[in-house]
């Protein structure tokens, strides 16, 4: 078992890390938050292992309490992970929906542009045909006129 000064020192270090993680969360620093989450999970596993070794040495009543506490913590961690996964899925779905809407708007704009270009080309073909007809009305051979 660790000495009380060592435990208090670890608590102070964890508090500083918690403050850094909170600051990173406020700044939305994804990389720092993901790294801190990984560190916390590793530390949590290590602290659970330490507690397990202590619990082995205590009475069955304490063991029952520890088992219930451990199960409650595991349930809370699993629930938090599930909520996080759901939020990430919702965010990804929203991004996909916005991307699809943007693509549909781009496609509509491209179709409108293509339609305008086709109409412009058709007008120019008609103008050319009318110009040939006008030239023919003046006795000009539109094929040889330059």
């Amino acid at each position: 078992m660790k000495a009380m000064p060592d435990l208090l020192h670890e608590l102070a270090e964890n508090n500083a890390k918690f403050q850094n993680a909170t600051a990173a969360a406020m700044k939305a620093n994804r990389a720092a938050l993901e790294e801190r989450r990984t560190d916390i999970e590793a530390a949590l596993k290590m602290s659970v292992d330490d507690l397990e070794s202590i619990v082995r040495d205590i009475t069955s009543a304490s063991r029952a309490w520890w088992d219930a506490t451990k199960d409650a913590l595991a349930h809370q961690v699993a629930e938090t992970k599930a909520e996080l996964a759901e939020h990430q899925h919702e965010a990804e779905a929203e991004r996909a929906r916005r991307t699809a809407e943007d693509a549909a708007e781009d496609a509509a704009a491209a179709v409108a542009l293509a339609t305008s270009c086709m109409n412009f080309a058709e007008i120019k073909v008609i103008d050319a045909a009318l110009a040939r007809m006008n030239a023919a009305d003046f006795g000009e051979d539109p094929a040889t006129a330059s």
Side-chain angles (χ1 to χ4, degrees):
M1 186 192 290
K2 293 183 181 176
M4 184 59 68
D6 293 335
L7 293 172
L8 292 174
H9 180 72
E10 284 180 14
L11 180 62
E13 285 179 346
N14 286 337
N15 183 46
K17 290 176 182 176
F18 175 76
Q19 289 174 349
N20 290 340
T22 303
M26 291 181 160
K27 293 179 183 174
N29 184 337
R30 179 179 299 275
L33 290 173
E34 288 174 350
E35 180 180 341
R36 179 61 185 139
R37 181 178 180 81
T38 300
D39 292 346
I40 290 171
E41 287 174 348
L44 182 60
K45 181 180 179 347
M46 200 163 45
S47 65
V48 167
D49 292 345
D50 289 346
L51 283 172
E52 294 246 358
S53 71
I54 292 169
V55 169
R56 279 187 216 109
D57 299 333
I58 57 178
T59 65
S60 62
S62 295
R63 167 129 338 261
W65 169 84
W66 168 244
D67 288 342
T69 302
K70 185 174 70 172
D71 291 344
L73 285 172
H75 175 75
Q76 187 63 38
V77 168
E79 194 173 279
T80 301
K81 284 183 177 182
E83 287 173 4
L84 177 61
E86 181 180 340
H87 289 300
Q88 286 176 334
H89 176 72
E90 289 171 0
E92 289 170 2
E94 177 61 19
R95 268 193 303 276
R97 184 192 62 75
R98 282 194 314 260
T99 299
E101 285 177 1
D102 290 347
E105 290 171 0
D106 290 348
V111 167
L113 176 62
T115 300
S116 294
C117 290
M118 298 242 345
N119 288 337
F120 182 72
E122 186 177 359
I123 286 172
K124 289 304 173 183
V125 167
I126 291 169
D127 287 349
L130 290 172
R132 284 190 191 108
M133 288 178 194
N134 284 341
D137 288 345
F138 288 102
E140 292 286 324
D141 181 8
T144 59
S146 14

